[in-house]
Amino acid sequence: MMTQFWTTTPLEKMTPVQWESLCDGCGKCCLNKIIDDETDELYYTNAACHLLDSESCGCRRYIERFKYVPECTAITPENISELTWLPNSCAYRRLHLGKGLPSWHPLLTGSKEAMHAAGISVQGKTVNEMKVKYLEDCIVLWPLLDVE
């Protein structure tokens, strides 16, 4: 059994490899979001970044993503508390809030299959942002799903 480093190592003390491995690869952070100017309410859309591979739920240009999408946000131990738009299912958010990893998380299951089966990932649910005229027409509720 692999050591569950996330239960003993604070986020800010994790190595870059440990930190990156926390990402479940769901792709929800790659969805365009809308914030209502009047209410500050956050809405998820199914319009995904043009770099997202909708089947693998991974970035096609992860290492050089900022070159192609300068507004992409790096999730770090330093900014995790400010990234309130991350979904409740996000491992970074969960651990920051003192919750554990859900049973479907790839670090616990060894693959992304349980996550996809639980409906947590964006697999097969997105449209490329380049094909969207009005983001408001793409608002969806499923990214809010959090199993466990």
Side-chain angles (χ1 to χ4, degrees), residues 5-6 13-23 92 107:
F5 66 87
W6 57 91
K13 300 268 190 205
M14 289 184 182
T15 67
V17 170
Q18 289 174 326
W19 178 261
E20 286 290 318
S21 73
L22 290 178
C23 177
Y92 296 117
L107 281 175

Side-chain angles (χ1 to χ4, degrees), residues 2 5 13 16 25 29 32 46 53 56-59 61-62 65 72 89 99 104 116 119 121 127 133 135 138 144-145:
M2 180 177 79
F5 66 87
K13 300 268 190 205
C29 60
N32 284 275
N46 66 347
D53 179 316
S56 73
C57 302
C59 181
R61 303 272 188 186
Y62 185 72
R65 66 193 183 280
C72 181
S89 60
K99 299 178 182 176
W104 49 260
H116 295 314
S121 76
V127 294
K133 188 169 184 176
L135 270 182
C138 298
L144 301 172
L145 175 67

Side-chain angles (χ1 to χ4, degrees), residues 67-81:
K67 178 176 158 184
Y68 296 97
V69 183
E71 65 275 13
C72 181
T73 302
I75 301 169
T76 67
E78 293 75 32
N79 70 4
I80 187 65
S81 64

Side-chain angles (χ1 to χ4, degrees), residues 79-96:
N79 70 4
I80 187 65
S81 64
E82 302 161 24
L83 303 180
T84 56
W85 50 265
L86 287 170
N88 290 332
S89 60
C90 175
Y92 296 117
R93 182 176 177 94
R94 289 178 65 98
L95 292 175
H96 171 71

